[in-house]
Amino acid sequence: MRKIDRKRLLREMVFFRRFEDRSFEAYMERKVGGFLHLYSGQEAVATGVLEMVQADRGVGFDYAITGYRDHIHAIKAGAPAREVMAELYGKETGSSRGRGGSMHIFDPSVRFMGGYALVGQPFPLAAGLALACKHQKEGRIAVCFLGDGANNQGTFHETMNMASLWKLPVLFVCENNCYAIGTVIQRSTAVIDQYKRLEAYNIPASQHPGQDIEVVMEAAQSAIAHVRSGAGPYFLEFLTYRYRGHSMSDAGAYRSKEEVAEWMQRDPIQILAKRLIEAGELTEEEFKAMEQAVQSEIDNDIIQFAEESPEPKVADLAKYVLEDNPDPRWIGPLQGQGG
Amino acid sequence: MAELAYWEALRRAHDEELAHDPLVIAMGEDIGVAGGTYKVTLGLYGKYGEERIIDTPISENSYTGIGIGASMAGMRPIIEIMSINFALLALDTLINAAAKIRYMSGGRAQCPIVMRTPGGTAHQLAAQHSARLSRLFMGTPGLRVVTPSTPLDAYGMLKSAVRCNDPVIFLEHESMYNLKGEVPDEETFRPLEGAGVVREGTDITLIGYNYSVHWCLTAADKLAQEGIHAEVIDLRSLKPIDRETIRRSIEKTHRVLVAEEDEAPVGVGSEVIAGIIEDCFFALDAQPVRVHAADVPVPYNYSLEKAAIPDAKDVYQSALKVLGKV
C-alpha cells in the first residue's frame, strides 16, 4: 500500500467543506434548486473510508453508492468536482447532465453508482453491485454509505440477511449522525448502537468515533481487508454529526446550540490540522494558505464552470428515458408477422 | 417445429440465454432447487449451479433491488416474482430505481433487468393472489411492459427482453402456463414492440392482451359462424402501445372493442381507447367499448369470481352490441 499523504487528506477535507459552503451560497442565490443536503461535519468518514478503499487498487476500481447526501462521496470516489457543482446548477455538463440534481449524482466512469433519495434503497443496490463483483471475480468490492435513519427501513434487514447468506463483498458504512431528518436517534430507534443490530445477521460489525480521519482509516483498513478476502460483508458504524440542518428547508431547531457547539469542538478538519501542526508537518501559515487556495479554486474554477456551462436543451427532454439506439432485432416492432 | 407449453417455452428461453451469456442469472423464490412454482426454471439449477440460479429469501423489494444493482454492474438478471401481488413490495426498486436510473444519471447508468411475474385469476385464489396491475407499470416512464399471449411470444420475447438494455416488466398469467403452441426449433427472437394482427377480419376489431387475446379469438370464431368477420389484435406490448397497427385496423373495420382482465379505471382499455379517439375518431362507425373486470377486489367464491372477471362470452356479446345486432 502506498504511503498516505496526510496534508493531501487535510486539503481534500478543506475542499469538501468549502464545496458544501459554496453550494449553500449558490442555493441562497437561487442558482441551485430543489433539495440540498449538506455533508459539513461528516467529512472524515467518506474521505477516510474511500481513501482506504482506493489505497491498494486506485480510484474507480471498486463500486461506491450512497443516499441523497452524496456530493462529497461522489467527488472522493473520483467524480470531477466541476461536474458535481454543474449538476447542482442543473447544467448539461453536470455529472447527471442536469437530470439528477443534488440527490442523484452519478459517475459510473469511476464506479460511483449514484445518490438515491429513497431512504434505505441503496442497501439492496449495493448488495447487487457486490453480487456482480463476486460473479465477475475481478477482486472488486462495493461500498455503501448510509445514515442511521436508513437502518429502520425493511431493506436494511432484508439486505443484511442476503448479504450475509451469500457472503457478498460489500462494506456497509453507517454514518450515525444522531438524527433521522429531525428526529433524534433515541426517539426513532430501539437499539442506539447500530453495529449491535448486525449480530442478528451474523455480519461482523464495529463502532468507531467518526471525527478523526486517522481513526476512520484504521477501522476501514481492516474492514476492507475482511471484505476483499471473500469472507463476506462488514458493517462499520461511525459516530459523527452534521453541522447544518437535514436540508436547506431545515434550520435544525430541534438541536441545542450547546450540542452543536460541543460537536464542533471535534471538527474533523481542525483535529487533523492541529495534529499536523503539532507534528511540525504543517505551519499555521501553510494551513491558512491552503484554505485560501481551496477557496480560490472553488470560486474561480468550480463555480465558474457551473455558471458558464450550458443548460440542457428542452428538445432533449425525453432523451435517456430508454436506450437511444436499441438493437432492432429484439426491440421490434413487429412487421407484418402476425401472431 | 415443436409444440411447447407456455412454461416450457419460457424455460427454453432461460436455458438458451443462460448458455449464451455467462452474465445472465435468474433470481427468485423457489426457482432453484424447487424449479419454480410454475416449473419455468425446472432443471436449470442442476445445469447452471446456485451462483446463476439463485433461490432468494421471501424479500421481494430487496432481492429485486439486488438484481437491479447487479444489472448496473453488467449482469443480466431475470428476476421472478411468484405473483404480481408480491411485486407491489418491489415497486420502490422497480419504479423509483430501475425505471429512473438511466434518466437521473443522464444516460450514464442503465438497468438491464427483466422482471417476470404472473398475474390474473386462476382458481379461487381470492383478492391477494389474483391481481393484474398492468396499469402500474404501463404508467411508469423508463420501463418496457410486455405481455406475451402465446408460447412463441413467451419464448422469443423473453430472449429479447434479456438482451434489451432497458428494464422490462414481463407479465405472464397463472392460467396460461399450460397453454400449448408451436415454437420453431431454431433460435428465434420476437420483438418487444409492435402489436400483432392475429386474425384478419373486416367487420370489427377485437383488441386483447395476454389471456384476453384468447377470449377474443374464441369470440371471433363464434362471430364467424354468424357471418361476422372480426379482426383480432394482440397488443403484445403495453409500453409502448402500437397505435399504428390499431389505427390501420379501425380504418378497415370502423368498429372496436377492447377486452381485458384488468379493472377498467385508469387501465389498458382506457389508454387504448383514448389513443383511438385521438388517432382515428372519424373512422369510427360506433362507440368503442371496453370489456373489463368488475371494479372489486377479486372474491373467493366461485360464482362471484366468475362474475368479476369477463370471458369469451362477454366479448362475443359486447361485440354484437358494437355491431348493433342486439
Side-chain angles (χ1 to χ4, degrees), chain A residues 95-96 136 158 317 323 331-332, chain B residues 62 73 103 108 165-166 191 193:
Chain A
S95 47
S96 292
Q136 293 162 6
E158 295 180 345
L317 176 65
E323 190 181 21
I331 301 300
Chain B
S62 295
Y103 200 82
R108 302 179 80 192
N165 289 326
D166 298 317
E193 288 183 12

Side-chain angles (χ1 to χ4, degrees), chain A residues 63 65 83 87 94-97 99-101 104-109 113-118 121 123-129 131-137 154-156 158-159 161-163 165-166 168 316-324 326 328-335 337-339, chain B residues 22-25 27 51-52 54-63 65-75 92-93 96-97 99 101-110 141-144 150 152-153 159-161 163-167 189-198 236 242:
Chain A
Y63 289 99
I65 190 167
E83 294 182 13
E87 187 60 31
S95 47
S96 292
R97 314 303 182 227
R99 271 71 168 181
H104 308 301
I105 307 292
F106 277 80
D107 193 341
S109 72
M113 302 313 281
Y116 297 82
L118 275 296
Q121 193 180 64
F123 287 129
L125 300 182
L129 294 167
L131 182 84
C133 293
K134 190 179 175 192
H135 195 89
Q136 293 162 6
K137 297 184 176 64
T155 49
F156 171 85
E158 295 180 345
T159 302
N161 180 50
M162 285 182 271
L165 192 63
W166 299 337
L168 299 180
D316 288 338
L317 176 65
K319 207 173 164 187
Y320 312 130
V321 174
L322 296 174
E323 190 181 21
D324 268 350
R329 281 174 298 173
W330 35 82
I331 301 300
L334 275 186
Q335 285 171 336
Q337 295 176 49
Chain B
L23 296 172
V24 174
I25 54 174
M27 315 173 60
E51 304 257 300
R52 298 188 65 200
I54 303 171
D55 273 319
T56 66
I58 301 173
S59 309
E60 287 84 1
N61 192 26
S62 295
Y63 81 68
I66 286 175
I68 291 165
S71 78
M72 292 172 76
M75 305 298 288
D92 172 50
T93 35
N96 278 318
I101 280 169
R102 184 189 294 280
Y103 200 82
M104 66 189 187
S105 69
R108 302 179 80 192
Q110 65 181 18
L143 297 177
R144 290 180 177 277
T150 64
L152 171 59
D153 265 353
K159 285 175 66 72
S160 294
R163 299 197 189 193
C164 173
N165 289 326
D166 298 317
F189 292 93
R190 299 282 289 166
L192 300 175
E193 288 183 12
V197 177
V198 294
R236 297 178 74 258
D242 176 5

Side-chain angles (χ1 to χ4, degrees), chain B residues 53-267:
Chain B
I53 310 293
I54 303 171
D55 273 319
T56 66
I58 301 173
S59 309
E60 287 84 1
N61 192 26
S62 295
Y63 81 68
T64 304
I66 286 175
I68 291 165
S71 78
M72 292 172 76
M75 305 298 288
R76 296 266 162 184
I78 307 171
I79 298 159
E80 177 176 303
I81 296 187
M82 198 182 288
S83 158
I84 199 167
N85 296 267
F86 315 156
L88 287 174
L89 292 157
L91 287 187
D92 172 50
T93 35
L94 289 169
I95 292 181
N96 278 318
K100 296 175 181 169
I101 280 169
R102 184 189 294 280
Y103 200 82
M104 66 189 187
S105 69
R108 302 179 80 192
Q110 65 181 18
C111 299
I113 57 145
V114 184
M115 192 279 278
R116 290 184 38 245
T117 187
T121 49
H123 297 285
Q124 293 187 262
L125 299 182
Q128 293 193 333
H129 273 67
S130 304
R132 284 77 71 206
L133 302 176
S134 317
R135 69 187 79 165
L136 285 180
F137 299 106
M138 70 185 283
T140 304
L143 297 177
R144 290 180 177 277
V145 184
V146 299
T147 63
S149 67
T150 64
L152 171 59
D153 265 353
Y155 159 74
M157 290 172 86
L158 181 55
K159 285 175 66 72
S160 294
V162 172
R163 299 197 189 193
C164 173
N165 289 326
D166 298 317
V168 180
I169 306 295
F170 200 90
L171 300 177
E172 299 165 12
H173 194 289
E174 292 184 20
S175 295
M176 275 173 54
Y177 286 113
N178 288 319
L179 182 90
K180 291 209 159 134
E182 290 197 329
V183 180
D185 296 328
E186 66 274 15
E187 182 176 49
T188 303
F189 292 93
R190 299 282 289 166
L192 300 175
E193 288 183 12
V197 177
V198 294
R199 179 183 177 121
E200 297 212 24
T202 48
D203 300 329
I204 182 170
T205 301
L206 309 179
I207 300 174
Y209 58 93
N210 200 268
Y211 202 23
S212 70
V213 171
H214 300 283
W215 311 337
C216 292
L217 288 168
T218 305
D221 281 344
K222 202 151 179 237
L223 290 166
Q225 290 167 11
E226 299 176 26
I228 297 163
H229 303 290
E231 178 143 302
V232 178
I233 290 178
D234 178 354
L235 287 176
R236 297 178 74 258
S237 162
L238 300 182
K239 192 171 189 75
I241 284 178
D242 176 5
R243 288 165 61 157
E244 183 56 23
T245 294
I246 296 171
R247 185 187 62 76
R248 275 202 306 267
S249 179
I250 290 173
E251 284 176 356
K252 186 167 65 166
T253 64
H254 309 291
R255 288 178 167 81
V256 64
L257 173 157
V258 185
E260 60 178 323
E261 196 178 318
D262 285 60
E263 304 91 330
V266 206

Side-chain angles (χ1 to χ4, degrees), chain A residues 269-282:
Chain A
I269 294 171
Q270 296 306 323
I271 288 174
L272 184 59
K274 189 160 170 256
R275 187 173 299 147
L276 294 184
I277 289 165
E278 283 173 3
E281 291 179 38
L282 182 78

Side-chain angles (χ1 to χ4, degrees), chain A residues 11 80 123 133 151 215 218 228 254 270 286 291 334 338:
Chain A
R11 191 186 194 281
F123 287 129
C133 293
N151 296 351
V215 171
E218 198 184 326
R228 226 187 269 287
Y254 43 84
Q270 296 306 323
E286 282 172 333
E291 289 183 311
L334 275 186

